Amino acid sequence: MPKLPDPRENADYIIAEAAEEYMKPIKDIASELGITDEELLLHGHYVAKVDFKKLLERLKDKPDGKYIDVTAITPTPLGEGKSTSSMGLVEGLGQRKVNVTAAIRQPSGGPTMNIKGSAAGGGLAQCIPLTPFSLGLTGDINAIMNSHNLAMVALNSRMQHERNYTDEQLMRLSNMERLDIDPTNIEMGWIIDFCCQGLRNIVMGLGGRTDGFTMQSKFGIAVSSEVMAILAVAKDLADMRERMGKIVVAYNKKGVPITTKDLQVDGAMTAWMVEALNPNLLQSLEGQPVFVHAGPFANIAIGQSSIIADRVALKLGDYHVTESGFGADIGFEKFWNLKCRFSGLKPNCAVVVATIRALKCHGGAPIPVPGKPMPEEYKGENVGWVEKGCENLVHHINTVRKAGINPVVCINAFYTDTDAEIAKVRELGEAAGARVALSRHWEHGGEGALEFADAVIDACNEPNDFKLLYELETPLRERINLIAKEVYGADGVDYSDVALGKAKKIEADPELSKLGTCMVKTHLSLSDNPALKGVPKGWRLFVRDILTYGGAGFVVPVAGNISLMPGTGSNPAYRRVDVDVESGKVKGVF
Amino acid sequence: MPKLPDPRENADYIIAEAAEEYMKPIKDIASELGITDEELLLHGHYVAKVDFKKLLERLKDKPDGKYIDVTAITPTPLGEGKSTSSMGLVEGLGQRKVNVTAAIRQPSGGPTMNIKGSAAGGGLAQCIPLTPFSLGLTGDINAIMNSHNLAMVALNSRMQHERNYTDEQLMRLSNMERLDIDPTNIEMGWIIDFCCQGLRNIVMGLGGRTDGFTMQSKFGIAVSSEVMAILAVAKDLADMRERMGKIVVAYNKKGVPITTKDLQVDGAMTAWMVEALNPNLLQSLEGQPVFVHAGPFANIAIGQSSIIADRVALKLGDYHVTESGFGADIGFEKFWNLKCRFSGLKPNCAVVVATIRALKCHGGAPIPVPGKPMPEEYKGENVGWVEKGCENLVHHINTVRKAGINPVVCINAFYTDTDAEIAKVRELGEAAGARVALSRHWEHGGEGALEFADAVIDACNEPNDFKLLYELETPLRERINLIAKEVYGADGVDYSDVALGKAKKIEADPELSKLGTCMVKTHLSLSDNPALKGVPKGWRLFVRDILTYGGAGFVVPVAGNISLMPGTGSNPAYRRVDVDVESGKVKGVF
């Protein structure tokens, strides 16, 4: 492979484009992994889906590889380079001739078109081809949109028909009983995969008798959909089919939940999702296999790569690197207590990614703003800020250790970091019981990630004792208390009246009390206040509401004011996206 | 190929499923057609996209095959079996060892989940595999949704930011000039690919200062999007890119159009559509190649298979069968005066599909209702109704003859048709100057379509003199008059005040006056009143409004009350759709 453009001087998409000139056809990657032609569902020359059912049946007796989760310290608004470090790790393991696989999440069109960028990694540690990766891939998120919104079509049209017809007419015309849905108690909204604040609150069904049922409604971003959560946690098609009928869309006038099954739309919703259940296969810049499946946003959703992708990859790779969103308080906690609980898989190691930049931010430097130049303060050495910021790192190391697995700190290096700053992180990370590796994958690809790769290999081959934080028998408020104190460092938990009422109801319900717990909380702080950096002390978690995701199989305590629909800023990325009409290449997605 | 289930006793999807057990891998179909491996973009084993750019470049010197359009008489609400007859024709030509290709339109999720069914044909004349065909295929419609809705995200968020910031702030923060969009003069709405009457009229942007701009808005069905029209008529990526910037989203407070280019979203919109521009390749039940590209609804949209699909297929097949929606007044008129004008391609023959059932309906029998049993009156022979109904057939034959090409009438046979009824159609169709063929493809596949295939071969090899109905220099109202009188049989045209004002403005504008004309009119009658069957006399076309589709390149006169968003009925198809969790097969889509 020829030398790629220098990341110091070139945007990620320029590097990706150069690498794509030489990337291997995906059928070669698949064949090296031992995927059969029948199991490989090509989508063009460089992307494929894998028939997970056939593959898992064929390899059912093969032992799983080592299982590594990549998480991070509490990120700055710019991100810590978690995807970059995941790609760096597979490239580093590739350099060590390890048979490695990865699983990352498909980016949402919202941030890609708005401000965050593509989530394919960066520099010389990226997932390619970048354009399909960034712009919808094989259509899984679109399938989720269709599946989810079909339930809303069913809900609103059912409410119209129940308003317009008598019980006798409903039965005679359509063989339907009245559901008697309470229009003031609708749980579900619509979804779209863009950041659109203007769709957060709508009134629909205006017009006449045949123009739907007039009601308030809302749009969330597609990846926050319960159908996305189901994609992430479903073990197979039968499991998905069963979950799809348990989504609570509303309540009837007696307060009884109305589900997708009651609307008779759950079979059709599953039909739209059959293909999406097969994980997507792409590659790293250096040709390692990368599965891409399920969605981001571990703050407002489960935000994990899928269980199916991990199950497939663990059969194919000796080492499998998976990614969970944001800091260890958010993404890793859900990996630990939700995803691993559902899958039964046991991780061997968790990587906590940290940048010197973010450590400085936690130590007192000004908070950087996306789209703006980095504050001057980040330019020079400041070991004091780094040292202070390491409190946040140590907190996350301790979280990983509470799960009983071996932590590895990856210092995701930037060329402005100084030796003294790096030495301080090593000292404090090792003192907290973690392996610490400096990794220069962003600048040098796999060759820059050898120390990182070796640390992960060592951590995986050391004994560990994975254990969940709570059992499903633990009452909801006790679980929330455990997460708040043990993982977030809160002094305790307070509830709004609404949340308290729901918590009691859930605890008393024989089925709901056995669901998992998926917290919604800002990713920008260990606390529920995004402005508090480092390790906030003397605070209590405030639970504002508790949602029930009966299909995904968890209840969702919502901490603080957090929206399921981000907004598009005044200088969004789509202004700079274009297409070269000669080559067909998309420009400006990065 | 083994014997397939009897269509008299089995639903279409049962037959499709049986045929799919033996269908050829799509790479074999492509290879027989001479498509190279590089040009073939597989999507699993049985569906592919074709890189049209590479293929057309390679075959640029190869002469085109014969070009056949399939249209119909004025259909009943049940449809005339136009897709079925298109598939029957390619199967019949296949039986005659002709190198044949077809192009049909991708169905919309709205009707598929509501009432109409999948549009893949029927009986032994279908396009397979049926499930991907019916449920989103390779994602073209989803790409249209993302591309189109991104413009709406840009519009509403721009209006929010312009409300919240001063001119100076807009320039300093985002390098933007104020567009000063008039919130009471928004042209574009959102799209979704389901029938959802409850989204026809909405209020969005409720909430606070950062929750968007409060305004009325609307959703149309995805296939009615101007982006779909652009997909249908674009010649290549450069053409699509240029068109994508010309979509009028709103007007400013001075009445000047605001386009997608003004919103700086046209590049990103094109980026979402690059892959969708490659046509999809599937197969008929008997293994002939079938391209599927662009969308239906010739009543409210252009409703044609794409120009790109036809261009590709004409290079590959000696005979190419394309489909245009509904009756010759609607679909064929747009094929003739819009699609062929844009493409420069000249058809050799047009097929007018007729069923005895629909002819009886035009002759006086009760109008059948979808989802209800056929009225008793259709069970026995009634030559009188057929004879009277043939007035509608003859009207459409004359329309095809006005285009200067050779008409072939296909009697799409049903096993209850009698010899006397069929003889009457032959007599009157031939008297009107058409070849008439009885075709039993629904019941017998290609072997039942030999007479039909031979008639089409004969018609294609006879001289013809294709000519457009009007030139682009013809003023708009004169064009509408020509279409109304020559194609619909109206006595004249009346305009609402709004439509008249817009017509005058368009006629006076040097650019708008040169756009094409894409009529919106019910497909259920030659007139603008869906209740009038046969050949309505003594009526005048009422043009209620005129829309401008600057990107697609046409103005859209809207006749009568017709909605761009259909509604979901009280007994929709999604109630009966499900998935077999063992095989992964989708059941109940038909």
Side-chain angles (χ1 to χ4, degrees):
Chain A
M1 187 158 185
K3 194 158 167 55
L4 291 170
D6 185 346
R8 298 192 192 197
E9 289 160 17
N10 292 279
D12 292 341
Y13 79 96
I14 302 285
I15 298 166
E17 215 170 72
E20 286 165 17
E21 295 291 318
Y22 308 97
M23 69 184 156
K24 288 186 265 188
I26 199 69
K27 69 176 163 44
D28 296 351
I29 303 259
S31 151
E32 288 164 20
L33 260 185
I35 298 170
T36 68
D37 284 353
E38 207 196 343
E39 289 157 6
L40 190 73
L41 305 165
L42 289 169
H43 280 243
H45 302 307
Y46 300 102
V47 172
K49 277 187 170 284
V50 175
D51 186 325
F52 77 94
K53 189 180 179 193
K54 284 188 182 137
L55 185 142
L56 290 178
E57 177 59 29
R58 178 171 62 83
L59 297 178
K60 63 178 185 294
D61 298 325
K62 185 167 184 276
D64 284 351
K66 301 288 185 185
Y67 193 21
I68 304 136
D69 185 57
V70 176
T71 182
I73 62 167
T74 302
T76 69
L78 308 177
E80 284 321 281
K82 205 163 17 60
S83 303
T84 304
S85 298
S86 298
M87 291 302 99
L89 179 55
V90 297
E91 291 173 0
L93 288 164
Q95 288 287 338
R96 288 295 193 220
K97 308 292 175 208
V98 168
N99 174 26
V100 62
T101 53
I104 60 176
R105 298 155 307 152
Q106 183 187 353
S108 157
T112 305
M113 290 291 116
N114 185 15
I115 202 149
K116 181 167 184 272
S118 87
L124 297 194
Q126 295 189 53
C127 176
I128 54 172
L130 180 60
T131 296
F133 176 85
S134 302
L135 298 180
L137 204 49
T138 58
D140 297 348
I141 292 178
N142 291 324
I144 289 165
M145 256 197 285
N146 288 327
S147 173
H148 179 121
N149 286 337
L150 185 60
M152 290 302 293
V153 169
L155 175 71
N156 192 268
S157 61
R158 180 72 173 246
M159 290 167 79
Q160 170 189 311
H161 297 307
E162 291 198 6
R163 181 195 60 200
N164 291 355
Y165 296 122
T166 63
D167 286 4
E168 185 275 325
Q169 285 173 318
L170 286 174
M171 186 51 70
R172 179 167 48 80
L173 294 171
S174 314
N175 192 30
M176 285 193 318
E177 305 243 349
R178 185 174 298 275
L179 293 176
D180 211 24
I181 294 160
D182 180 354
T184 68
N185 204 356
I186 307 289
E187 191 84 1
M188 199 174 185
W190 304 83
I191 59 166
I192 187 172
D193 198 37
F194 291 120
C195 299
C196 187
Q197 59 270 46
L199 291 175
R200 276 180 197 146
N201 307 294
I202 68 167
V203 173
M204 60 174 293
L206 302 173
R209 183 179 160 82
T210 59
D211 295 318
F213 188 93
T214 313
M215 66 184 206
Q216 269 193 273
S217 192
K218 62 192 174 187
F219 277 74
I221 193 156
V223 292
S224 73
S225 161
E226 186 167 349
V227 180
M228 173 61 93
I230 292 175
L231 179 66
V233 302
K235 278 197 284 281
D236 53 33
L237 183 57
D239 187 26
M240 166 171 273
R241 175 67 188 84
E242 197 185 332
R243 290 171 182 274
M244 207 66 96
K246 294 181 176 171
I247 298 174
V248 175
V249 294
Y251 295 86
N252 73 11
K253 288 176 184 157
K254 290 179 182 151
V256 178
I258 301 294
T259 62
T260 38
K261 187 174 180 184
D262 295 324
L263 291 172
Q264 298 175 290
V265 72
D266 49 334
M269 289 173 74
T270 311
W272 284 95
M273 288 294 295
V274 174
E275 289 303 315
L277 211 48
N278 291 317
N280 306 290
L281 182 62
L282 286 81
Q283 62 188 287
S284 73
L285 277 192
E286 299 184 7
Q288 286 80 28
V290 179
F291 288 94
V292 181
H293 208 212
F297 288 142
N299 50 346
I300 58 172
I302 184 165
Q304 308 285 325
S305 55
S306 79
I307 286 178
I308 286 178
D310 283 354
R311 289 177 69 209
V312 165
L314 284 165
K315 291 295 180 199
L316 297 170
D318 295 329
Y319 284 73
H320 173 56
V321 178
T322 198
E323 191 190 350
S324 54
F326 298 126
D329 54 329
I330 297 285
F332 175 76
E333 190 277 312
K334 293 175 187 184
F335 171 77
W336 172 20
N337 292 304
L338 277 176
K339 188 177 168 186
C340 289
R341 185 190 306 273
F342 285 138
S343 71
L345 297 170
K346 286 186 202 298
N348 300 89
C349 155
V351 173
V352 181
V353 177
T355 57
I356 297 293
R357 179 176 74 188
L359 291 169
K360 285 179 177 172
C361 175
H362 285 295
I367 299 170
V369 178
K372 299 276 166 66
M374 280 298 283
E376 282 299 311
E377 287 84 344
Y378 286 86
K379 291 206 174 140
E381 179 176 279
N382 193 320
V383 179
W385 274 339
V386 171
E387 177 167 9
K388 176 76 180 145
C390 277
E391 289 177 13
N392 184 278
L393 171 64
V394 169
H395 185 96
H396 290 297
I397 292 171
N398 289 338
T399 297
V400 170
R401 294 183 63 184
K402 283 174 187 165
I405 54 176
N406 303 318
V408 172
V409 172
C410 164
I411 307 173
N412 178 17
F414 198 59
Y415 56 88
T416 54
D417 303 342
T418 71
D419 290 346
E421 290 168 340
I422 289 163
K424 184 52 75 181
V425 183
R426 280 195 196 276
E427 175 199 328
L428 296 173
E430 284 169 2
R435 284 176 173 80
V436 180
L438 179 71
S439 192
R440 301 195 181 277
H441 45 263
W442 179 81
E443 200 176 336
H444 299 293
E447 289 202 357
L450 297 178
E451 184 191 339
F452 180 19
D454 292 342
V456 167
I457 292 172
D458 289 347
C460 283
N461 288 292
E462 204 169 71
N464 66 67
D465 176 30
F466 180 69
K467 53 186 178 293
L468 299 166
L469 181 64
Y470 55 85
E471 296 310 312
L472 290 182
E473 285 65 38
T474 313
L476 178 59
R477 279 173 291 173
E478 206 173 302
R479 293 186 205 177
I480 297 174
N481 210 43
L482 269 170
I483 295 169
K485 288 185 172 170
E486 299 290 323
V487 182
Y488 304 163
D491 290 345
V493 185
D494 296 320
Y495 293 84
S496 73
D497 290 348
V498 168
L500 189 64
K502 289 187 180 178
K504 287 179 180 168
K505 204 168 157 185
I506 289 165
E507 287 169 6
D509 186 296
E511 278 183 38
L512 297 181
S513 63
K514 295 286 188 298
L515 298 178
T517 304
C518 182
M519 302 295 295
V520 166
K521 181 183 79 70
T522 180
H523 57 290
L524 294 170
S525 171
L526 276 165
S527 78
D528 55 6
N529 177 352
L532 303 180
K533 300 300 165 192
V535 182
K537 297 286 179 202
W539 66 280
R540 296 175 65 82
L541 185 77
F542 181 70
V543 175
R544 177 170 59 83
D545 197 2
I546 303 179
L547 313 175
T548 298
Y549 280 15
F554 41 76
V555 295
V556 182
V558 181
N561 261 321
I562 192 164
S563 171
L564 299 189
M565 174 52 92
T568 285
S570 62
N571 192 13
Y574 60 70
R575 293 177 79 185
R576 290 168 287 280
V577 174
D578 211 333
V579 173
D580 178 320
V581 295
E582 273 314 305
S583 67
K585 284 185 180 158
V586 172
K587 306 287 176 180
V589 171
F590 55 98
Chain B
M1 189 160 185
K3 197 162 166 49
L4 291 171
D6 185 346
R8 298 192 192 197
E9 289 160 17
N10 291 279
D12 291 341
Y13 80 95
I14 302 286
I15 298 167
E17 214 170 73
E20 286 165 18
E21 295 291 317
Y22 308 97
M23 70 184 154
K24 287 186 266 190
I26 200 68
K27 68 176 163 45
D28 296 349
I29 303 258
S31 151
E32 288 165 18
L33 260 185
I35 297 171
T36 67
D37 283 353
E38 207 195 342
E39 289 158 5
L40 190 72
L41 305 165
L42 289 169
H43 279 244
H45 303 307
Y46 300 102
V47 172
K49 277 187 171 285
V50 175
D51 185 324
F52 78 94
K53 189 181 179 194
K54 285 188 182 137
L55 185 142
L56 290 178
E57 177 59 29
R58 177 171 62 85
L59 297 178
K60 63 179 185 293
D61 298 325
K62 186 168 185 274
D64 284 350
K66 302 288 187 186
Y67 193 21
I68 303 135
D69 185 57
V70 176
T71 181
I73 63 167
T74 302
T76 69
L78 307 178
E80 284 321 281
K82 204 161 22 58
S83 303
T84 304
S85 298
S86 298
M87 291 302 98
L89 178 55
V90 296
E91 291 173 0
L93 288 164
Q95 289 287 338
R96 289 295 194 220
K97 307 292 175 209
V98 169
N99 174 25
V100 62
T101 53
I104 61 176
R105 298 155 306 153
Q106 184 188 352
S108 157
T112 305
M113 290 292 115
N114 185 15
I115 203 150
K116 181 169 184 272
S118 88
L124 297 194
Q126 295 189 54
C127 176
I128 53 174
L130 180 60
T131 297
F133 176 85
S134 302
L135 298 180
L137 202 51
T138 58
D140 296 349
I141 293 179
N142 290 325
I144 289 166
M145 256 197 283
N146 288 328
S147 173
H148 179 121
N149 287 337
L150 186 60
M152 289 302 292
V153 169
L155 175 71
N156 193 269
S157 61
R158 180 72 171 245
M159 290 167 79
Q160 170 190 310
H161 297 307
E162 291 197 8
R163 181 195 60 200
N164 290 355
Y165 296 122
T166 64
D167 286 5
E168 185 275 325
Q169 286 173 318
L170 286 174
M171 185 52 70
R172 179 167 49 81
L173 294 171
S174 314
N175 192 29
M176 285 193 318
E177 305 243 348
R178 185 174 295 277
L179 293 176
D180 211 24
I181 293 160
D182 180 356
T184 68
N185 204 356
I186 308 289
E187 190 83 1
M188 198 175 186
W190 304 84
I191 58 166
I192 188 172
D193 199 36
F194 291 120
C195 299
C196 186
Q197 59 269 48
L199 291 174
R200 275 181 197 145
N201 308 294
I202 68 167
V203 173
M204 62 174 293
L206 302 174
R209 183 179 159 83
T210 59
D211 295 318
F213 187 93
T214 313
M215 66 184 205
Q216 270 193 272
S217 192
K218 62 192 174 186
F219 277 74
I221 193 158
V223 292
S224 73
S225 161
E226 185 167 349
V227 180
M228 173 61 93
I230 291 175
L231 179 66
V233 302
K235 277 199 285 285
D236 54 32
L237 182 57
D239 187 25
M240 166 171 273
R241 175 67 187 83
E242 198 185 332
R243 290 171 182 274
M244 206 66 94
K246 294 180 176 172
I247 298 174
V248 175
V249 294
Y251 295 85
N252 73 11
K253 288 176 184 156
K254 291 179 181 150
V256 178
I258 302 294
T259 62
T260 37
K261 187 175 181 185
D262 295 325
L263 292 172
Q264 298 175 290
V265 71
D266 50 333
M269 288 173 74
T270 312
W272 284 94
M273 288 294 295
V274 174
E275 290 302 314
L277 211 47
N278 290 317
N280 306 290
L281 182 61
L282 286 80
Q283 61 187 289
S284 73
L285 276 191
E286 299 184 7
Q288 285 81 28
V290 179
F291 288 94
V292 182
H293 209 212
F297 288 141
N299 49 348
I300 58 172
I302 184 165
Q304 309 285 324
S305 55
S306 79
I307 286 177
I308 286 178
D310 283 354
R311 289 178 69 210
V312 165
L314 285 165
K315 290 297 180 198
L316 296 170
D318 295 329
Y319 284 73
H320 172 56
V321 179
T322 197
E323 190 190 351
S324 54
F326 298 126
D329 54 329
I330 295 285
F332 175 76
E333 191 278 312
K334 293 175 187 184
F335 172 76
W336 171 21
N337 292 304
L338 277 176
K339 188 177 170 187
C340 289
R341 185 189 306 272
F342 284 138
S343 71
L345 298 170
K346 287 185 203 299
N348 300 89
C349 153
V351 173
V352 181
V353 177
T355 56
I356 297 295
R357 180 175 75 188
L359 291 170
K360 285 179 175 173
C361 175
H362 286 295
I367 298 171
V369 178
K372 298 278 166 63
M374 281 299 282
E376 282 298 312
E377 287 84 343
Y378 285 85
K379 291 206 172 140
E381 179 175 282
N382 192 320
V383 179
W385 274 340
V386 171
E387 178 167 10
K388 176 76 179 144
C390 277
E391 288 177 13
N392 184 277
L393 171 64
V394 169
H395 184 96
H396 289 298
I397 292 171
N398 289 338
T399 297
V400 169
R401 293 182 64 184
K402 282 173 189 167
I405 55 175
N406 303 317
V408 172
V409 172
C410 164
I411 307 173
N412 179 16
F414 197 60
Y415 56 89
T416 53
D417 303 341
T418 71
D419 289 346
E421 289 170 340
I422 289 163
K424 183 53 77 181
V425 182
R426 280 194 196 276
E427 175 199 330
L428 296 173
E430 283 169 3
R435 285 178 172 80
V436 180
L438 179 71
S439 192
R440 301 195 180 277
H441 45 263
W442 180 81
E443 200 176 337
H444 299 293
E447 289 200 356
L450 298 178
E451 183 191 341
F452 180 21
D454 292 343
V456 166
I457 292 171
D458 289 348
C460 283
N461 288 292
E462 204 170 69
N464 65 67
D465 176 29
F466 179 69
K467 51 186 179 294
L468 299 166
L469 181 65
Y470 56 85
E471 296 311 313
L472 289 183
E473 285 66 37
T474 312
L476 178 59
R477 279 172 293 172
E478 207 173 302
R479 293 187 205 176
I480 297 174
N481 210 43
L482 269 170
I483 295 169
K485 288 185 172 170
E486 298 290 324
V487 181
Y488 304 162
D491 290 346
V493 184
D494 297 321
Y495 293 84
S496 73
D497 290 347
V498 168
L500 188 64
K502 289 189 181 178
K504 287 179 180 170
K505 205 169 156 184
I506 289 165
E507 287 169 7
D509 186 297
E511 278 183 36
L512 297 181
S513 63
K514 295 286 189 302
L515 297 179
T517 303
C518 182
M519 301 295 295
V520 166
K521 182 183 80 69
T522 180
H523 56 289
L524 294 170
S525 171
L526 276 165
S527 78
D528 54 8
N529 176 353
L532 304 180
K533 300 300 166 191
V535 182
K537 297 285 180 202
W539 65 280
R540 297 175 63 82
L541 185 77
F542 181 70
V543 175
R544 177 170 59 83
D545 197 1
I546 303 179
L547 313 175
T548 298
Y549 279 15
F554 42 76
V555 295
V556 182
V558 181
N561 261 322
I562 192 163
S563 171
L564 298 189
M565 174 53 92
T568 284
S570 62
N571 192 12
Y574 60 71
R575 292 176 79 186
R576 290 168 288 279
V577 174
D578 210 333
V579 174
D580 177 321
V581 296
E582 274 313 304
S583 67
K585 284 185 179 160
V586 173
K587 306 288 178 179
V589 172
F590 54 98

